[in-house]
Amino acid sequence: MKIAILSRDGTLYSCKRLVEAAEQRGHSIEVIDPLSCYMNINPAAPTIHYRGRQLERYDAVIPRIGSAITFYGTAVLRQFELLGSYPLNESVAITRARDKLRSLQLLARQGIDLPITGFAHSPDDTGDLIELVGGAPLVVKLVEGTQGIGVVLAETRQAAESVIDAFRGLNAHILVQEYIREAQGSDVRCLVVGGKVVAAIERQAKPGEFRSNLHRGGTARKVSITAKERAIAVKAATTLGLDVAGVDILRAARGPLVMEVNASPGLEGVESTTGLDIAGRMIEYIEQRGRPGFRLKSGG
C-alpha cells in the first residue's frame, strides 16, 4: 500500500514509529507537511500539490494534525478523502473531537458519564455557573486548549471567579468542570484502535500538580482496566467517529468518567510504558480497511 502521514514534523516519535511499522510490513510511506499542500477544488479533476509537484493517489492517509492547524490540516485531509484515500480518522471526526464543547455534548447525548460541566457567555452567569458544577474547587478549561495548556484548578470560589473573569477578558471560550478529588491527580489513558482498547496506562501528575499529562512531567504505568472502563472508552471513540483515539478516563467514586477524547494521541508514552506495538496495530487496521472502494462513515 501507498500511505501518507500528514504531520508538520516527521522526526516526532509517533511519526517515526508509524513509518517504521509501515515499512516493516512492506508498505511505501511518506510524511507530508499539510501546510505545504495546496489544492485544486475542481469537481471534475480535484488535485493536491505539494512543494511543486502534484501528488498521486495514496491508498491511506494517517492524520497527525496538531491542534494549532486543525482548520487547514482537516481541509487537506478532506481533499485526500475526496481523491479516494482511506483516512485513519476522518476529517469530520477530528473536528468533532477538537471542539471540546461539541464533543462533550455528543458524548452526553449518548449517555456517557462525564464530569459535571458548565458553559456560559455572560459574566453575570459566573456565580450560578460555579454552583452548577458543585462549587469550588473546580477546573476551568479553555475550549481550544490541548496537552494541559489552558487548564486551571481553582481551589476557592474567589479564585474561580477571578480565573473565569480573566479568561472572559481575553474573549476566550471556557468550560467549567467539577474537580474529581478522589482521582488524586491521575487518569487512565485508553488507546482505542478500530473499536478495541489495545492499551491502557495510568498517568499520575507530578507532586504539586493536578494535570497528569506526560508533557507536564507526569509519570505513567501500565494498568488493568475494568470491563466498564473498556466499554466506555470504546463507546466514546465510536460516538465521535474516531478509528484511533486516546480516551482519558477519571476514576470517580460514582464510576468512570470520560474527561477528554484525543483524536491524535501520542504513541511514545503508551508504547514505552506497555511495551506494545501500537504503531503496528494502526498499520494493521489500515490494511484491513484501506482498500479500493471504501466509503466514508460520516459523509465527509
Side-chain angles (χ1 to χ4, degrees), residues 187-203 221 223-237 242-251 256-267 269-270 274 276 278:
D187 66 20
V188 175
R189 161 62 63 92
C190 296
L191 209 297
V192 178
V193 178
K196 297 178 181 178
V197 176
V198 297
I201 59 173
E202 184 179 60
R203 305 182 300 181
R221 67 180 183 89
V223 68
S224 295
I225 59 174
T226 65
K228 187 172 183 179
E229 289 169 339
R230 187 177 302 276
I232 200 173
V234 170
K235 187 174 182 180
L242 294 168
D243 293 321
V244 174
V247 181
D248 297 336
I249 292 175
L250 294 173
R251 287 176 160 171
L257 308 175
V258 172
M259 179 173 62
E260 191 168 350
V261 183
N262 191 318
S264 187
L267 303 184
V270 176
T274 64
L276 297 172
I278 306 302

Side-chain angles (χ1 to χ4, degrees), residues 95-141:
T95 56
R96 279 191 206 111
R98 289 282 165 82
D99 184 334
K100 284 190 175 71
L101 177 60
R102 183 185 181 193
S103 63
L104 290 174
Q105 289 172 322
L106 291 170
L107 295 172
R109 188 168 70 184
Q110 293 300 315
I112 294 172
D113 290 331
L114 310 165
I116 298 171
T117 303
F119 181 76
H121 175 73
S122 170
D124 296 334
D125 300 328
T126 299
D128 194 42
L129 185 64
I130 291 171
E131 292 305 317
L132 185 148
V133 300
L138 54 78
V139 178
V140 184
K141 294 183 176 181

Side-chain angles (χ1 to χ4, degrees), residues 164-187:
I164 292 169
D165 290 342
F167 278 160
R168 280 187 173 140
L170 298 173
N171 200 30
H173 297 296
I174 59 170
L175 297 173
V176 177
Q177 283 187 332
E178 67 171 318
Y179 175 58
I180 308 301
R181 189 185 301 274
E182 60 268 30
Q184 298 182 329
S186 70
D187 66 20

Side-chain angles (χ1 to χ4, degrees), residues 13-41:
Y13 176 92
S14 297
C15 286
K16 290 193 294 184
R17 282 288 297 117
L18 287 164
V19 168
E20 179 183 281
E23 290 178 343
Q24 285 178 348
R25 300 175 74 93
H27 303 298
S28 170
I29 189 163
E30 179 181 5
V31 179
I32 295 173
D33 181 351
L35 294 189
S36 295
C37 292
Y38 48 105
M39 301 163 283
N40 180 4
I41 314 297

Side-chain angles (χ1 to χ4, degrees), residues 185 203-213 215-219:
R203 305 182 300 181
Q204 178 66 53
K206 66 182 180 182
E209 176 63 83
F210 79 102
R211 295 168 293 184
S212 61
N213 307 70
H215 290 88
R216 307 217 149 262
T219 57

